[in-house]
Amino acid sequence: MKKKIFSKRYIIETMIEGSLMLSAVFSIFITLGIIFVLCYESLEFFKEIPIKDFLTGTVWTPLFANPQFGILPLVAGTLLTTAVAVSVALPIGLITAIYLSEYAPHKFRETVKPILELLEAVPTVVYGYFALLFLTPLLQKVFENLSGFNALSPGLIMGIMIVPYVGSVSEDALKAVPMHIREGSYAMGATKLQTAFKVLIPSAFSGIAAAFIMGISRAIGETMIVAIAAGMMPNFTANPMEPIQTLTSYIVQVSLGDLPHGTIEYKTIFAAGIVLFIMTLSFNIIGFWLKKRIREAY
Amino acid sequence: MSTKTKQFNEIIKAEAKNLNFYYGDFHALKGLDFKVSEKKVTALIGPSGCGKTTFLRCFNRMHDLYPNNRYEGEILMYPDEINIVGDNIDPIEVRMRISMVFQKPNPFPKTIYENVAYGLRVRGIRGKDIIDERVEKSLRGAALWDEVKDRLHEHAFNMSGGQQQRLCIARALATDPEILLFDEPTSALDPIATSKVEELIVELKKVLTILIVTHNMQQAARISDYTAFMYVGELVEFGDTDTIFTAPTQKLTEEYITGRFG
Amino acid sequence: MKETLQELKKKIAKRKFYNKIFAFIGFISTTVGIILLAVLFIDLAIDGAQRISYKFFTSFPSRFPEEAGILSAWVGTCLVMIVTAAAAVPLGVGAGIYLEEYAKKNWFTNLIEININNLAGVPSIIYGLLALGLFVYFFNFGESVLTGGLALALLILPIVIMATREAIRAIPNSMREAAYALGATKWQTVKDHIIPYSIGGILTGIIIGMSRAIGETAPIITVGALTFIAFLPPSPIEPEFPFLNFKWLMAPFTVMPIQMFNWVSRPQQAFHLNAAAAGIVLLVMTLLMNALAIYIRYKFRKKIKW
């Protein structure tokens, strides 16, 4: 609707709207900035290292005298810790969600949920300390061949750390199932357990899948726990007992040193960064898409 | 449409001429012609979805708040003959002259005093004395002063539903509007609170023009001078309230007011 | 074929039994996280409590674990947080208000929304790489408090935006209509109603974002904060006119989590005690902030019931 008014009020209103809009548009620039910085520096990297060697090489020794730039060990390390984390977070997260949304009394839920949220508030460096100096020695009593740095211990801690996230997204999905669907099941004489597994989980499937996918993405991007407790060894292995290195902890390792701007070693962190970004982005997009489907379902 | 009315002997405050309104593609109001007499109560009645609230909300441009709404035609407000729904008219100017009371009481979560003062503050009126005076006058006008004069700085949410609605009326009165719009103002109230609001409306027409949407035909009969019956976006019949309720000319009107549909 | 009542009762009893078992498993998995939190806190307390003293807060790091403290770290954290808040609060709240109150539903708004959702899922270390490429080298802010604070501001921006939007969305539309019907302009409605009625939720989001920023380590390491720093940045407040000094923005710095990380990574056990002590301080800070956020949310929810 056109307004032919250029009063003082109109000008002030327009200026305020404009500046609010700029702050919203700013978020687009962050994304563009990320893409630009990652692409710019890694293009420099790929000028020197063929992209095929980078993606298929199984040895990652960029800081050695005779450097080799195969990203697979870092990807493997990332996937290994993620797999450990996810195998803890998914079942516990889903069971917690079902328990909180279907079983727990209202008061219990209202008390427990904020406490669970605190798990996400704990600084990850504190979790790293805990994984390295508490959990690993404890696990070594059970698994004698567990080395001091390993993928298992940080993976487990990461898993518990993302339980509240997986739990709350799953719970939202379960809550979105309309009451009449539950009532239909109860009216047939089903127990809560049967209703949960035979009716609610299938109905809320895409939301729960979104929780899982986004949980995986979080585990892939987690940095400090693995940087502290998983070691800095780019082993190409699937054994969680061994020390490994993830994409994220490699970036930390390099950043801690004093690498001059512009060297090939400096550029490796952007190459590792772009791989990390693409991995998390694809999981996030799938998760986002799945989450959107819940809203459309009802 | 038949116009059997003594209205032309009175001063006309506002007049819709071939007013059309669209929600996107949906044609909600279809070519309404309609006159509102000054210092009278005009009631809009009709079944749910007939467009009466939509029509009322045209008068203070509430439809501008949502996208894809479109007016066509005009609503002229006298004496200056501005077209309320014209593209070149600032909706804020319209709302400063035409106030509205909503279906559900919607006081702001502020004190009673601040609720009434808000319209004045929006107009840039400062000065405690003048605001104090206008707040008292409006609360008296809304028959609320005696109940709240000792607790003006209490939270408005602590009042009863009926008091909240009268507070909303006081809030609308504080800025001396020329027309006051009521959108089913008593539908959320109990019978006692309803009768208080009704008495108030009759009292208020001494000073301003009132347009009221109501679901309740007895209410229209009790308080209004003129009644318009609407059906699926069209004005079926308009006339003085006595005639509409005792001798409607249209069959549809008769069926509605005798409760055969609605 | 019809089962007898007896058989049916048996089946029901069995199903009820399974149901009870699941309820028990559910309770256990819900409490796993809480137990971990408790154990973590006790473990830190046992190791770190002996190091916590007045001296610990007033000493610089040192080669000798007993003498090392967190002075430069907590001062650095405070300064970085000032920058983070100054950037993230206006941008985040402004964007939230725009998206809820002003933006028209079109492809561009949709794009911004998807983008913010996506930014919330970007690993924090990527923000570090962004800050390294952009702030350190492109804008030449160097490895400074400013760079660190801005990196964290970008990181928590999605949190602040989403909290603002959620808080605003809880305000019923009747409030907006009431304000507009009285002739208020859009900005008057926002300033007099939308912001005051959603301030509880907005504050909660800001505090949660800040507590996240305090604990973040990875992006700060990436921008090249020092791990050993035995001096303080220039003070932001001066005794003489104009009383404020912005040289600290460009000073090198360290923060609490980096100090802790540095101590954890040392092989000597004595430093691990320092790490635990720093962990206690960090944990107390973040948990207090979260408790405050929960309290504010609770209090405002009680105060305004729509």
Side-chain angles (χ1 to χ4, degrees):
Chain A
M1 197 154 292
K2 286 174 273 333
K3 288 182 204 84
K4 295 170 196 120
I5 300 155
F6 292 99
S7 62
K8 189 176 140 210
R9 184 182 70 214
Y10 183 75
I11 294 167
I12 293 174
E13 290 284 323
T14 312
M15 278 168 54
I16 288 169
E17 177 165 353
S19 51
L20 291 175
M21 188 170 115
L22 274 184
S23 31
V25 172
F26 184 78
S27 66
I28 302 255
F29 290 116
I30 301 179
T31 306
L32 291 180
I34 290 173
I35 293 170
F36 174 76
V37 168
L38 290 180
C39 288
Y40 180 79
E41 300 280 359
S42 30
L43 277 180
E44 296 284 308
F45 174 79
F46 290 122
K47 272 183 199 158
E48 297 179 47
I49 312 299
I51 198 158
K52 190 174 158 279
D53 297 358
F54 176 74
L55 289 178
T56 56
T58 55
V59 182
W60 180 259
T61 52
L63 307 176
F64 286 12
N66 177 24
Q68 281 192 278
F69 300 94
I71 194 75
L72 285 180
L74 297 187
V75 173
T78 301
L79 293 178
L80 185 57
T81 48
T82 300
V84 175
V86 159
S87 59
V88 172
L90 300 194
I92 297 186
L94 182 57
I95 292 173
T96 302
I98 295 174
Y99 183 73
L100 286 180
S101 88
E102 307 298 318
Y103 283 81
H106 179 76
K107 231 181 162 169
F108 180 79
R109 184 168 62 229
E110 293 302 299
T111 331
V112 162
K113 279 185 81 172
I115 302 179
L116 282 179
E117 278 169 36
L118 289 183
L119 277 171
E120 287 188 294
V122 173
T124 51
V125 62
V126 174
Y127 280 126
Y129 171 94
F130 190 69
L132 179 69
L133 298 174
F134 182 87
L135 190 60
T136 297
L138 196 70
L139 290 172
Q140 276 173 329
K141 288 185 183 138
V142 187
F143 309 104
E144 280 165 8
N145 58 340
L146 188 71
S147 51
F149 291 113
N150 58 71
L152 182 64
S153 167
L156 290 174
I157 296 289
M158 248 157 68
I160 294 184
M161 183 183 82
I162 57 180
V163 161
Y165 182 76
V166 173
S168 79
V169 179
S170 307
E171 202 194 333
D172 288 347
L174 291 172
K175 282 255 170 69
V177 178
M179 208 56 205
H180 64 84
I181 291 185
R182 284 185 183 75
E183 285 173 354
S185 168
Y186 289 132
M188 305 286 290
T191 59
K192 279 186 179 179
L193 180 64
Q194 288 169 317
T195 307
F197 278 87
K198 295 197 173 130
V199 179
L200 295 179
I201 293 181
S203 316
F205 183 76
S206 65
I208 294 168
F212 287 8
I213 298 282
M214 285 159 139
I216 293 172
S217 160
R218 294 208 153 192
I220 291 174
E222 176 43 47
T223 309
M224 291 319 290
I225 304 178
V226 282
I228 292 171
M232 293 287 189
M233 302 268 285
N235 282 331
F236 190 45
T237 176
N239 182 357
M241 305 291 182
E242 288 180 30
I244 49 96
Q245 184 162 46
T246 65
L247 290 161
T248 52
S249 63
Y250 172 72
I251 300 173
V252 167
Q253 186 193 11
V254 171
S255 305
L256 283 171
D258 212 11
L259 276 178
H261 181 213
T263 58
I264 183 80
E265 292 85 354
Y266 170 85
K267 287 167 198 157
T268 55
I269 60 175
F270 291 93
I274 203 164
V275 173
L276 176 67
F277 183 68
I278 290 170
M279 282 170 81
T280 53
L281 183 69
S282 19
F283 277 105
N284 284 338
I285 288 173
I286 299 171
F288 183 73
W289 175 74
L290 285 167
K291 225 170 145 184
K292 223 178 129 188
R293 276 186 39 182
I294 332 175
R295 262 174 263 147
E296 283 159 6
Y298 304 110
Chain B
M1 191 194 113
S2 77
T3 324
K4 224 171 33 173
T5 163
K6 59 191 179 203
Q7 198 178 10
F8 300 112
N9 307 327
E10 287 162 355
I11 305 165
I12 302 299
K13 182 64 199 168
E15 180 175 18
K17 283 184 175 169
N18 193 22
L19 179 74
N20 287 282
F21 179 77
Y22 302 84
Y23 290 112
D25 292 333
F26 178 65
H27 193 173
L29 298 178
K30 297 166 188 162
L32 302 188
D33 289 300
F34 179 80
K35 284 177 180 156
V36 185
S37 300
E38 189 168 62
K39 295 189 181 166
K40 298 284 174 200
V41 176
T42 304
L44 298 169
I45 62 169
S48 305
C50 70
K52 54 194 192 300
T53 295
T54 303
F55 184 37
L56 189 80
R57 287 164 69 96
C58 289
F59 277 83
N60 70 343
R61 298 278 294 264
M62 286 317 255
H63 297 302
D64 288 39
L65 300 179
Y66 308 98
N68 300 326
N69 292 341
R70 193 156 52 84
Y71 310 91
E72 254 173 33
E74 47 191 8
I75 299 178
L76 297 173
M77 177 157 70
Y78 300 104
D80 49 346
E81 228 176 307
I82 63 160
N83 177 15
I84 294 175
V85 296
D87 271 1
N88 57 341
I89 297 296
D90 186 354
I92 290 168
E93 186 194 327
V94 174
R95 294 178 197 140
M96 285 190 170
R97 296 174 61 181
I98 303 180
S99 267
M100 180 156 179
V101 175
F102 294 83
Q103 192 169 9
K104 257 178 71 188
N106 57 353
F108 299 126
K110 297 177 186 268
T111 63
I112 294 171
Y113 180 92
E114 278 307 320
N115 262 282
V116 183
Y118 186 67
L120 305 169
R121 298 199 193 282
V122 161
R123 282 156 180 74
I125 297 171
R126 301 282 176 265
K128 196 175 173 315
D129 290 349
I130 182 157
I131 293 180
D132 279 353
E133 186 202 312
R134 297 280 280 278
V135 167
E136 178 175 344
K137 192 176 152 223
S138 322
L139 284 169
R140 281 187 193 282
L144 196 57
W145 176 252
D146 292 331
E147 291 164 58
V148 301
K149 64 178 180 228
D150 301 320
R151 50 187 190 115
L152 288 177
H153 297 285
E154 261 182 45
H155 207 270
F157 282 18
N158 295 336
M159 307 168 89
S160 71
Q163 286 176 325
Q164 287 188 9
Q165 192 62 308
R166 278 180 287 144
L167 177 67
C168 292
I169 296 174
R171 185 174 69 185
L173 286 177
T175 52
D176 278 334
E178 294 164 50
I179 303 178
L180 193 48
L181 310 171
F182 287 91
D183 184 6
E184 299 190 34
T186 59
S187 62
L189 303 183
D190 63 59
I192 293 171
T194 298
S195 74
K196 278 191 179 166
V197 171
E198 286 184 6
E199 282 167 28
L200 186 56
I201 290 173
V202 173
E203 198 58 34
L204 285 173
K205 78 171 180 183
K206 289 176 186 162
V207 290
L208 43 70
T209 306
I210 289 169
L211 198 54
I212 178 171
V213 163
T214 175
H215 233 82
N216 177 335
M217 279 174 285
Q218 282 79 17
Q219 183 170 64
R222 278 195 300 267
I223 63 174
S224 71
D225 302 294
Y226 295 98
T227 297
F229 172 63
M230 290 179 67
Y231 188 68
V232 288
E234 290 182 50
L235 187 60
V236 177
E237 187 163 2
F238 175 67
D240 59 87
T241 300
D242 290 344
T243 317
I244 292 277
F245 279 91
T246 53
T249 55
Q250 302 293 311
K251 196 157 181 298
L252 212 54
T253 316
E254 191 190 335
E255 282 180 358
Y256 181 70
I257 59 178
T258 51
R260 254 171 278 168
F261 75 98
Chain C
M1 204 174 76
K2 212 169 156 14
E3 49 193 354
T4 64
L5 196 59
Q6 203 104 47
E7 281 167 349
L8 189 66
K9 274 188 174 157
K10 237 186 194 165
K11 272 190 179 167
I12 292 173
K14 204 166 116 194
R15 281 158 44 183
K16 275 190 165 166
F17 176 68
Y18 287 139
N19 191 44
K20 277 207 176 115
I21 288 186
F22 182 80
F24 181 70
I25 296 173
F27 179 76
I28 297 293
S29 51
T30 308
T31 43
V32 162
I34 298 171
I35 293 167
L36 175 92
L37 208 57
V39 173
L40 179 129
F41 209 87
I42 293 166
D43 179 49
L44 278 181
I46 291 173
D47 291 346
Q50 50 186 306
R51 281 279 196 273
I52 297 219
S53 64
Y54 177 72
K55 234 185 78 193
F56 187 65
F57 289 93
T58 53
S59 308
F60 287 110
S62 154
R63 279 183 295 131
F64 308 103
E66 299 78 22
E67 286 169 20
I70 54 169
L71 178 63
S72 46
W74 73 257
V75 170
T77 287
C78 292
L79 294 179
V80 168
M81 285 307 120
I82 293 174
V83 176
T84 302
V89 171
L91 272 177
V93 176
I97 291 172
Y98 179 80
L99 291 173
E100 282 304 311
E101 294 295 315
Y102 287 84
K104 295 173 185 67
K105 280 260 157 262
N106 56 24
W107 66 270
F108 190 63
T109 309
N110 223 344
L111 179 74
I112 295 178
E113 279 180 24
I114 293 173
N115 178 55
I116 290 169
N117 266 313
N118 179 48
L119 281 178
V122 171
S124 62
I125 197 155
I126 299 281
Y127 286 93
L129 291 177
L130 169 67
L132 178 66
L134 204 63
F135 301 138
V136 177
Y137 292 115
F138 189 75
F139 289 133
N140 248 325
F141 294 159
E143 292 150 358
S144 62
V145 172
L146 182 63
T147 300
L150 290 179
L152 294 181
L154 299 187
L155 175 70
I156 67 167
L157 202 55
I159 300 176
V160 178
I161 295 175
M162 291 202 246
T164 303
R165 295 190 64 182
E166 203 174 307
I168 290 177
R169 226 174 289 147
I171 300 172
N173 213 16
S174 63
M175 287 300 119
R176 294 179 186 90
E177 293 199 340
Y180 287 123
L182 290 165
T185 63
K186 194 145 212 168
W187 173 239
Q188 281 170 330
T189 306
V190 167
K191 159 180 75 99
D192 298 336
H193 303 283
I194 302 301
I195 296 177
Y197 308 160
S198 57
I199 193 74
I202 295 176
L203 276 178
T204 307
I206 292 172
I207 294 170
I208 288 183
M210 294 298 285
S211 99
R212 166 106 192 264
I214 281 188
E216 269 302 337
T217 325
I220 298 286
I221 292 179
T222 317
V223 300
L226 299 177
T227 47
F228 187 95
I229 194 165
F231 54 87
L232 291 182
S235 164
I237 301 163
E238 285 188 331
E240 286 127 44
F241 189 81
F243 305 112
L244 287 177
N245 174 343
F246 290 100
K247 275 186 218 141
W248 57 274
L249 282 174
M250 290 301 167
F253 70 106
T254 190
V255 290
M256 288 288 303
I258 291 202
Q259 187 61 69
M260 178 174 175
F261 174 61
N262 177 251
W263 280 329
V264 181
S265 324
R266 305 255 182 127
Q268 302 94 322
Q269 248 226 301
F271 275 114
H272 292 166
L273 302 184
N274 289 34
I280 294 174
V281 177
L282 206 50
L283 204 55
V284 167
M285 273 158 84
T286 49
L287 293 189
L288 276 183
M289 287 174 86
N290 275 271
L292 178 68
I294 292 169
Y295 172 75
I296 291 178
R297 187 163 56 187
Y298 174 77
K299 208 185 135 202
F300 272 84
R301 203 185 288 165
K302 253 183 99 174
K303 204 174 120 196
I304 300 183
K305 274 213 177 78
W306 300 112

